[in-house]
Amino acid sequence: MIRVPGYLFILGVFFSYAGLLFENQGLAITLVVIGIVLSLYIWHVLAWNRDKHLENSLKKGVIKEEELFSFGLKRKAVVWAIFYSLVFSVMNLSGIVSAQLFVSNIDTVQNISPEELVGLLGPEYMIASSVFMISAILTLIMYFKLLSITFNDEFKMQSIESLRKKIPMILRSPLSIPMAVVFTIITSGLFSWYIRYKLMRIQVLYFQLDRSFEEAKAQYETLEQARKEKEKKRLEKIANMNEKYSEMLAKETDPHERKTIIAQLFKDLGDTNRDDAIRIISEMTQKRYN
């Protein structure tokens, strides 16, 4: 489990949008690149945590390999995080370049036709804007898949473990991916930061809850094993005393020696609890008269 502190989310939001406030193309790109790095790092952590969760569930037998397809669980979310990283980076960098080209000619693009605009901004702008549009569409597709494989797979795994390990669920319902994509577009990506922060909190809390349950289970099994060992020794002691004194009394015919054996028996019974002493005497009596 990798934890991303809250301040990295705040810094990520700041750097992702701070580049829009500066006309200097170098500074703007630098700030956006920092935001992109933080954003993608968080995505990779979320995907890695999800994969680790699934790996642990498979290792412990909570989820079986052959059940992955029926549950709709993919083996690796990190692969999708890598694909998303590529198209997301291209989208942001091409968007910055096309925006900077447009802003640098803002005073001359008013009241001119589209043909004149294309000629004014040059082929660089057309290439950058085309790359931006294509990568934006691919980013939405990858974003849709990444939300499904991280957020909703977390819900699936918690649902399965809730039934099979009796661990309470933290994530109570799956995420509506289409609505999440729409809100992300409307908020210019801010909703994506909120979703990732929420998912990180869920992953951390569930990891702590699962670890607490595992520790409690291990402690219970240790105590139960100790109880069984103690019970086993108690029963062995009863059986041994029963066998020992029954044989001694059966072989001895001298009244004086029999009294000595019985005295030793009651002395040994003093080291046992009342119920075990009664049980030993009762079993020895039954053997005598059977």
Short mmCIF file of all heavy atoms in Angstrom, two decimals, residues 169-215:
data_model
loop_
_atom_site.label_atom_id
_atom_site.label_comp_id
_atom_site.label_asym_id
_atom_site.label_seq_id
_atom_site.Cartn_x
_atom_site.Cartn_y
_atom_site.Cartn_z
N MET A 169 -17.72 -3.21 4.35
CA MET A 169 -17.36 -2.42 3.17
C MET A 169 -17.25 -0.95 3.52
O MET A 169 -18.07 -0.42 4.28
CB MET A 169 -18.40 -2.62 2.06
CG MET A 169 -18.45 -4.02 1.49
SD MET A 169 -19.76 -4.18 0.25
CE MET A 169 -19.19 -3.00 -1.01
N ILE A 170 -16.26 -0.29 2.97
CA ILE A 170 -16.14 1.16 3.10
C ILE A 170 -16.78 1.84 1.90
O ILE A 170 -17.45 2.86 2.02
CB ILE A 170 -14.67 1.57 3.24
CG1 ILE A 170 -14.11 1.04 4.57
CG2 ILE A 170 -14.50 3.09 3.18
CD1 ILE A 170 -12.65 1.36 4.79
N LEU A 171 -16.57 1.26 0.72
CA LEU A 171 -17.16 1.78 -0.51
C LEU A 171 -18.52 1.13 -0.70
O LEU A 171 -18.61 -0.07 -0.97
CB LEU A 171 -16.24 1.48 -1.71
CG LEU A 171 -16.57 2.12 -3.04
CD1 LEU A 171 -16.65 3.63 -2.90
CD2 LEU A 171 -15.54 1.74 -4.08
N ARG A 172 -19.58 1.90 -0.53
CA ARG A 172 -20.93 1.35 -0.47
C ARG A 172 -21.60 1.17 -1.83
O ARG A 172 -22.54 0.40 -1.96
CB ARG A 172 -21.82 2.25 0.41
CG ARG A 172 -21.46 2.18 1.88
CD ARG A 172 -21.71 0.80 2.42
NE ARG A 172 -21.42 0.68 3.84
CZ ARG A 172 -21.60 -0.41 4.56
NH1 ARG A 172 -22.09 -1.48 3.97
NH2 ARG A 172 -21.29 -0.45 5.84
N SER A 173 -21.14 1.90 -2.85
CA SER A 173 -21.79 1.82 -4.15
C SER A 173 -20.77 2.10 -5.24
O SER A 173 -19.78 2.81 -5.01
CB SER A 173 -22.96 2.82 -4.26
OG SER A 173 -22.49 4.14 -4.10
N PRO A 174 -20.98 1.54 -6.43
CA PRO A 174 -20.04 1.81 -7.53
C PRO A 174 -20.20 3.24 -8.03
O PRO A 174 -21.19 3.92 -7.77
CB PRO A 174 -20.45 0.79 -8.59
CG PRO A 174 -21.89 0.51 -8.31
CD PRO A 174 -22.05 0.61 -6.82
N LEU A 175 -19.20 3.68 -8.76
CA LEU A 175 -19.22 5.04 -9.33
C LEU A 175 -19.90 5.01 -10.69
O LEU A 175 -19.65 4.11 -11.50
CB LEU A 175 -17.77 5.54 -9.47
CG LEU A 175 -17.58 6.93 -10.08
CD1 LEU A 175 -18.08 8.01 -9.13
CD2 LEU A 175 -16.10 7.15 -10.41
N SER A 176 -20.75 5.99 -10.93
CA SER A 176 -21.34 6.14 -12.26
C SER A 176 -20.28 6.77 -13.16
O SER A 176 -20.03 7.98 -13.10
CB SER A 176 -22.59 7.03 -12.20
OG SER A 176 -23.06 7.30 -13.51
N ILE A 177 -19.63 5.96 -13.99
CA ILE A 177 -18.51 6.43 -14.79
C ILE A 177 -18.94 7.53 -15.78
O ILE A 177 -18.26 8.56 -15.88
CB ILE A 177 -17.84 5.26 -15.54
CG1 ILE A 177 -17.48 4.14 -14.55
CG2 ILE A 177 -16.60 5.75 -16.27
CD1 ILE A 177 -16.51 4.55 -13.48
N PRO A 178 -20.05 7.37 -16.53
CA PRO A 178 -20.46 8.44 -17.44
C PRO A 178 -20.68 9.78 -16.72
O PRO A 178 -20.27 10.83 -17.22
CB PRO A 178 -21.77 7.92 -18.04
CG PRO A 178 -21.65 6.43 -17.94
CD PRO A 178 -20.93 6.18 -16.66
N MET A 179 -21.32 9.75 -15.56
CA MET A 179 -21.54 10.98 -14.81
C MET A 179 -20.22 11.58 -14.34
O MET A 179 -20.03 12.79 -14.34
CB MET A 179 -22.45 10.71 -13.61
CG MET A 179 -23.89 10.42 -13.99
SD MET A 179 -24.67 11.80 -14.87
CE MET A 179 -24.63 13.07 -13.60
N ALA A 180 -19.30 10.72 -13.92
CA ALA A 180 -17.99 11.20 -13.47
C ALA A 180 -17.25 11.88 -14.62
O ALA A 180 -16.60 12.92 -14.42
CB ALA A 180 -17.17 10.04 -12.92
N VAL A 181 -17.33 11.30 -15.82
CA VAL A 181 -16.68 11.90 -16.98
C VAL A 181 -17.30 13.25 -17.31
O VAL A 181 -16.59 14.23 -17.60
CB VAL A 181 -16.76 10.95 -18.20
CG1 VAL A 181 -16.26 11.65 -19.46
CG2 VAL A 181 -15.96 9.68 -17.94
N VAL A 182 -18.62 13.32 -17.25
CA VAL A 182 -19.33 14.59 -17.53
C VAL A 182 -18.92 15.67 -16.53
O VAL A 182 -18.60 16.80 -16.90
CB VAL A 182 -20.86 14.38 -17.51
CG1 VAL A 182 -21.58 15.73 -17.55
CG2 VAL A 182 -21.29 13.51 -18.67
N PHE A 183 -18.92 15.32 -15.23
CA PHE A 183 -18.53 16.29 -14.20
C PHE A 183 -17.07 16.71 -14.36
O PHE A 183 -16.72 17.86 -14.09
CB PHE A 183 -18.77 15.72 -12.81
CG PHE A 183 -20.17 15.90 -12.30
CD1 PHE A 183 -21.01 14.80 -12.15
CD2 PHE A 183 -20.64 17.16 -11.98
CE1 PHE A 183 -22.31 14.97 -11.69
CE2 PHE A 183 -21.94 17.34 -11.51
CZ PHE A 183 -22.79 16.24 -11.37
N THR A 184 -16.23 15.78 -14.79
CA THR A 184 -14.82 16.11 -15.00
C THR A 184 -14.67 17.13 -16.13
O THR A 184 -13.89 18.08 -16.02
CB THR A 184 -14.01 14.84 -15.34
OG1 THR A 184 -14.11 13.91 -14.25
CG2 THR A 184 -12.55 15.18 -15.57
N ILE A 185 -15.45 16.95 -17.20
CA ILE A 185 -15.41 17.90 -18.32
C ILE A 185 -15.95 19.25 -17.90
O ILE A 185 -15.36 20.30 -18.19
CB ILE A 185 -16.21 17.34 -19.52
CG1 ILE A 185 -15.54 16.07 -20.05
CG2 ILE A 185 -16.31 18.39 -20.62
CD1 ILE A 185 -16.35 15.35 -21.11
N ILE A 186 -17.08 19.24 -17.19
CA ILE A 186 -17.71 20.50 -16.77
C ILE A 186 -16.79 21.31 -15.85
O ILE A 186 -16.71 22.54 -15.95
CB ILE A 186 -19.05 20.22 -16.05
CG1 ILE A 186 -20.07 19.65 -17.05
CG2 ILE A 186 -19.60 21.48 -15.39
CD1 ILE A 186 -21.38 19.21 -16.40
N THR A 187 -16.09 20.61 -14.96
CA THR A 187 -15.21 21.29 -13.99
C THR A 187 -13.77 21.44 -14.48
O THR A 187 -12.89 21.78 -13.69
CB THR A 187 -15.21 20.52 -12.65
OG1 THR A 187 -14.72 19.18 -12.88
CG2 THR A 187 -16.60 20.47 -12.05
N SER A 188 -13.56 21.14 -15.76
CA SER A 188 -12.21 21.25 -16.36
C SER A 188 -11.18 20.42 -15.61
O SER A 188 -10.03 20.82 -15.46
CB SER A 188 -11.76 22.73 -16.40
OG SER A 188 -12.64 23.49 -17.19
N GLY A 189 -11.60 19.25 -15.16
CA GLY A 189 -10.67 18.32 -14.53
C GLY A 189 -10.64 18.33 -13.02
O GLY A 189 -10.05 17.45 -12.40
N LEU A 190 -11.26 19.33 -12.38
CA LEU A 190 -11.22 19.41 -10.92
C LEU A 190 -11.90 18.22 -10.27
O LEU A 190 -11.46 17.73 -9.22
CB LEU A 190 -11.88 20.71 -10.44
CG LEU A 190 -11.04 21.99 -10.56
CD1 LEU A 190 -11.88 23.21 -10.20
CD2 LEU A 190 -9.80 21.90 -9.66
N PHE A 191 -12.98 17.74 -10.88
CA PHE A 191 -13.70 16.60 -10.31
C PHE A 191 -12.82 15.35 -10.30
O PHE A 191 -12.94 14.51 -9.41
CB PHE A 191 -14.98 16.34 -11.12
CG PHE A 191 -15.87 15.29 -10.50
CD1 PHE A 191 -16.62 15.58 -9.36
CD2 PHE A 191 -15.97 14.02 -11.05
CE1 PHE A 191 -17.44 14.62 -8.79
CE2 PHE A 191 -16.80 13.06 -10.49
CZ PHE A 191 -17.52 13.35 -9.36
N SER A 192 -11.93 15.25 -11.27
CA SER A 192 -11.02 14.11 -11.31
C SER A 192 -10.11 14.10 -10.08
O SER A 192 -9.82 13.04 -9.52
CB SER A 192 -10.16 14.17 -12.58
OG SER A 192 -9.13 13.20 -12.53
N TRP A 193 -9.67 15.28 -9.65
CA TRP A 193 -8.83 15.36 -8.45
C TRP A 193 -9.61 14.94 -7.22
O TRP A 193 -9.08 14.27 -6.33
CB TRP A 193 -8.28 16.78 -8.28
CG TRP A 193 -7.21 17.12 -9.26
CD1 TRP A 193 -7.34 17.78 -10.44
CD2 TRP A 193 -5.83 16.77 -9.16
NE1 TRP A 193 -6.13 17.89 -11.07
CE2 TRP A 193 -5.18 17.28 -10.31
CE3 TRP A 193 -5.06 16.11 -8.21
CZ2 TRP A 193 -3.82 17.12 -10.53
CZ3 TRP A 193 -3.70 15.95 -8.42
CH2 TRP A 193 -3.09 16.45 -9.57
N TYR A 194 -10.87 15.35 -7.16
CA TYR A 194 -11.72 14.96 -6.02
C TYR A 194 -11.91 13.44 -5.98
O TYR A 194 -11.80 12.82 -4.91
CB TYR A 194 -13.08 15.66 -6.12
CG TYR A 194 -14.14 15.02 -5.25
CD1 TYR A 194 -14.12 15.18 -3.86
CD2 TYR A 194 -15.14 14.23 -5.81
CE1 TYR A 194 -15.08 14.57 -3.05
CE2 TYR A 194 -16.11 13.64 -5.02
CZ TYR A 194 -16.07 13.80 -3.64
OH TYR A 194 -17.01 13.18 -2.86
N ILE A 195 -12.20 12.84 -7.15
CA ILE A 195 -12.42 11.39 -7.22
C ILE A 195 -11.17 10.64 -6.79
O ILE A 195 -11.24 9.66 -6.03
CB ILE A 195 -12.82 10.98 -8.66
CG1 ILE A 195 -14.27 11.36 -8.93
CG2 ILE A 195 -12.63 9.48 -8.87
CD1 ILE A 195 -15.28 10.60 -8.10
N ARG A 196 -10.01 11.10 -7.23
CA ARG A 196 -8.77 10.41 -6.86
C ARG A 196 -8.46 10.55 -5.38
O ARG A 196 -7.98 9.60 -4.75
CB ARG A 196 -7.62 10.95 -7.71
CG ARG A 196 -7.59 10.36 -9.11
CD ARG A 196 -6.50 10.97 -9.95
NE ARG A 196 -6.84 12.31 -10.37
CZ ARG A 196 -5.99 13.13 -11.00
NH1 ARG A 196 -4.76 12.74 -11.25
NH2 ARG A 196 -6.38 14.33 -11.39
N TYR A 197 -8.73 11.72 -4.83
CA TYR A 197 -8.51 11.91 -3.39
C TYR A 197 -9.44 10.99 -2.59
O TYR A 197 -9.02 10.34 -1.62
CB TYR A 197 -8.75 13.36 -3.00
CG TYR A 197 -8.60 13.61 -1.51
CD1 TYR A 197 -7.34 13.67 -0.92
CD2 TYR A 197 -9.72 13.78 -0.70
CE1 TYR A 197 -7.19 13.88 0.44
CE2 TYR A 197 -9.58 13.99 0.66
CZ TYR A 197 -8.31 14.04 1.22
OH TYR A 197 -8.17 14.25 2.58
N LYS A 198 -10.69 10.91 -3.02
CA LYS A 198 -11.66 10.04 -2.34
C LYS A 198 -11.24 8.58 -2.43
O LYS A 198 -11.29 7.84 -1.43
CB LYS A 198 -13.05 10.22 -2.96
CG LYS A 198 -14.12 9.35 -2.33
CD LYS A 198 -15.48 9.59 -2.98
CE LYS A 198 -16.54 8.70 -2.34
NZ LYS A 198 -17.88 8.91 -2.96
N LEU A 199 -10.79 8.15 -3.62
CA LEU A 199 -10.37 6.77 -3.80
C LEU A 199 -9.13 6.45 -2.97
O LEU A 199 -9.04 5.37 -2.39
CB LEU A 199 -10.09 6.49 -5.28
CG LEU A 199 -9.64 5.06 -5.62
CD1 LEU A 199 -10.65 4.03 -5.13
CD2 LEU A 199 -9.42 4.91 -7.13
N MET A 200 -8.22 7.41 -2.87
CA MET A 200 -7.02 7.19 -2.05
C MET A 200 -7.41 7.00 -0.59
O MET A 200 -6.89 6.12 0.10
CB MET A 200 -6.07 8.38 -2.20
CG MET A 200 -4.84 8.34 -1.28
SD MET A 200 -3.86 6.82 -1.41
CE MET A 200 -3.31 6.91 -3.11
N ARG A 201 -8.33 7.81 -0.09
CA ARG A 201 -8.78 7.67 1.29
C ARG A 201 -9.45 6.32 1.51
O ARG A 201 -9.24 5.66 2.53
CB ARG A 201 -9.78 8.80 1.63
CG ARG A 201 -9.18 10.19 1.67
CD ARG A 201 -8.20 10.32 2.84
NE ARG A 201 -8.86 10.06 4.10
CZ ARG A 201 -8.23 9.68 5.21
NH1 ARG A 201 -6.93 9.50 5.19
NH2 ARG A 201 -8.90 9.49 6.34
N ILE A 202 -10.24 5.87 0.54
CA ILE A 202 -10.92 4.58 0.64
C ILE A 202 -9.89 3.45 0.68
O ILE A 202 -9.99 2.52 1.50
CB ILE A 202 -11.89 4.38 -0.53
CG1 ILE A 202 -13.10 5.32 -0.37
CG2 ILE A 202 -12.36 2.92 -0.62
CD1 ILE A 202 -14.01 5.36 -1.58
N GLN A 203 -8.90 3.53 -0.20
CA GLN A 203 -7.87 2.49 -0.24
C GLN A 203 -7.10 2.41 1.08
O GLN A 203 -6.85 1.32 1.59
CB GLN A 203 -6.90 2.75 -1.39
CG GLN A 203 -7.47 2.47 -2.77
CD GLN A 203 -6.46 2.70 -3.87
OE1 GLN A 203 -5.42 3.34 -3.67
NE2 GLN A 203 -6.73 2.18 -5.05
N VAL A 204 -6.74 3.56 1.62
CA VAL A 204 -5.98 3.59 2.87
C VAL A 204 -6.81 3.04 4.03
O VAL A 204 -6.34 2.21 4.81
CB VAL A 204 -5.50 5.02 3.18
CG1 VAL A 204 -4.91 5.11 4.59
CG2 VAL A 204 -4.46 5.46 2.17
N LEU A 205 -8.05 3.51 4.14
CA LEU A 205 -8.91 3.07 5.24
C LEU A 205 -9.20 1.58 5.15
O LEU A 205 -9.20 0.87 6.16
CB LEU A 205 -10.22 3.87 5.23
CG LEU A 205 -10.11 5.35 5.65
CD1 LEU A 205 -11.44 6.05 5.44
CD2 LEU A 205 -9.67 5.47 7.10
N TYR A 206 -9.45 1.08 3.93
CA TYR A 206 -9.76 -0.33 3.79
C TYR A 206 -8.54 -1.19 4.08
O TYR A 206 -8.65 -2.28 4.66
CB TYR A 206 -10.28 -0.63 2.39
CG TYR A 206 -10.89 -2.01 2.27
CD1 TYR A 206 -12.16 -2.27 2.76
CD2 TYR A 206 -10.17 -3.06 1.69
CE1 TYR A 206 -12.72 -3.53 2.68
CE2 TYR A 206 -10.73 -4.32 1.60
CZ TYR A 206 -12.00 -4.55 2.10
OH TYR A 206 -12.54 -5.80 2.02
N PHE A 207 -7.37 -0.71 3.67
CA PHE A 207 -6.12 -1.42 3.97
C PHE A 207 -5.93 -1.54 5.48
O PHE A 207 -5.58 -2.61 5.99
CB PHE A 207 -4.94 -0.69 3.34
CG PHE A 207 -3.60 -1.25 3.74
CD1 PHE A 207 -3.12 -2.41 3.17
CD2 PHE A 207 -2.83 -0.60 4.70
CE1 PHE A 207 -1.88 -2.93 3.55
CE2 PHE A 207 -1.59 -1.12 5.08
CZ PHE A 207 -1.12 -2.29 4.50
N GLN A 208 -6.17 -0.44 6.19
CA GLN A 208 -6.03 -0.47 7.65
C GLN A 208 -7.07 -1.39 8.28
O GLN A 208 -6.76 -2.14 9.23
CB GLN A 208 -6.17 0.95 8.21
CG GLN A 208 -5.04 1.89 7.81
CD GLN A 208 -5.30 3.32 8.22
OE1 GLN A 208 -6.44 3.73 8.49
NE2 GLN A 208 -4.25 4.13 8.24
N LEU A 209 -8.30 -1.36 7.76
CA LEU A 209 -9.36 -2.22 8.28
C LEU A 209 -9.03 -3.69 8.03
O LEU A 209 -9.17 -4.53 8.93
CB LEU A 209 -10.69 -1.86 7.62
CG LEU A 209 -11.92 -2.66 8.07
CD1 LEU A 209 -12.20 -2.42 9.54
CD2 LEU A 209 -13.14 -2.28 7.23
N ASP A 210 -8.58 -4.01 6.84
CA ASP A 210 -8.23 -5.38 6.49
C ASP A 210 -7.07 -5.88 7.35
O ASP A 210 -7.08 -7.02 7.82
CB ASP A 210 -7.86 -5.47 5.01
CG ASP A 210 -7.57 -6.89 4.56
OD1 ASP A 210 -8.38 -7.78 4.87
OD2 ASP A 210 -6.53 -7.12 3.93
N ARG A 211 -6.08 -5.01 7.57
CA ARG A 211 -4.94 -5.40 8.40
C ARG A 211 -5.38 -5.65 9.84
O ARG A 211 -4.90 -6.60 10.49
CB ARG A 211 -3.86 -4.32 8.36
CG ARG A 211 -2.58 -4.67 9.12
CD ARG A 211 -1.50 -3.65 8.88
NE ARG A 211 -1.91 -2.33 9.34
CZ ARG A 211 -1.15 -1.24 9.22
NH1 ARG A 211 0.05 -1.34 8.64
NH2 ARG A 211 -1.57 -0.08 9.65
N SER A 212 -6.30 -4.82 10.35
CA SER A 212 -6.80 -5.01 11.71
C SER A 212 -7.54 -6.34 11.83
O SER A 212 -7.39 -7.07 12.82
CB SER A 212 -7.74 -3.86 12.10
OG SER A 212 -7.05 -2.62 12.11
N PHE A 213 -8.34 -6.68 10.80
CA PHE A 213 -9.04 -7.94 10.81
C PHE A 213 -8.07 -9.12 10.74
O PHE A 213 -8.27 -10.14 11.41
CB PHE A 213 -10.03 -8.00 9.64
CG PHE A 213 -11.42 -7.56 10.00
CD1 PHE A 213 -11.70 -6.22 10.23
CD2 PHE A 213 -12.45 -8.48 10.13
CE1 PHE A 213 -12.97 -5.79 10.57
CE2 PHE A 213 -13.73 -8.07 10.47
CZ PHE A 213 -14.00 -6.73 10.69
N GLU A 214 -7.03 -8.98 9.93
CA GLU A 214 -6.03 -10.05 9.81
C GLU A 214 -5.31 -10.25 11.14
O GLU A 214 -5.05 -11.39 11.56
CB GLU A 214 -5.04 -9.72 8.70
CG GLU A 214 -5.60 -9.79 7.30
CD GLU A 214 -5.95 -11.20 6.88
OE1 GLU A 214 -5.35 -12.15 7.42
OE2 GLU A 214 -6.84 -11.36 6.03
N GLU A 215 -4.95 -9.14 11.79
CA GLU A 215 -4.27 -9.24 13.09
C GLU A 215 -5.17 -9.86 14.14
O GLU A 215 -4.74 -10.69 14.95
CB GLU A 215 -3.80 -7.86 13.53
CG GLU A 215 -2.67 -7.29 12.69
CD GLU A 215 -2.33 -5.86 13.06
OE1 GLU A 215 -3.07 -5.27 13.90
OE2 GLU A 215 -1.34 -5.32 12.54
#
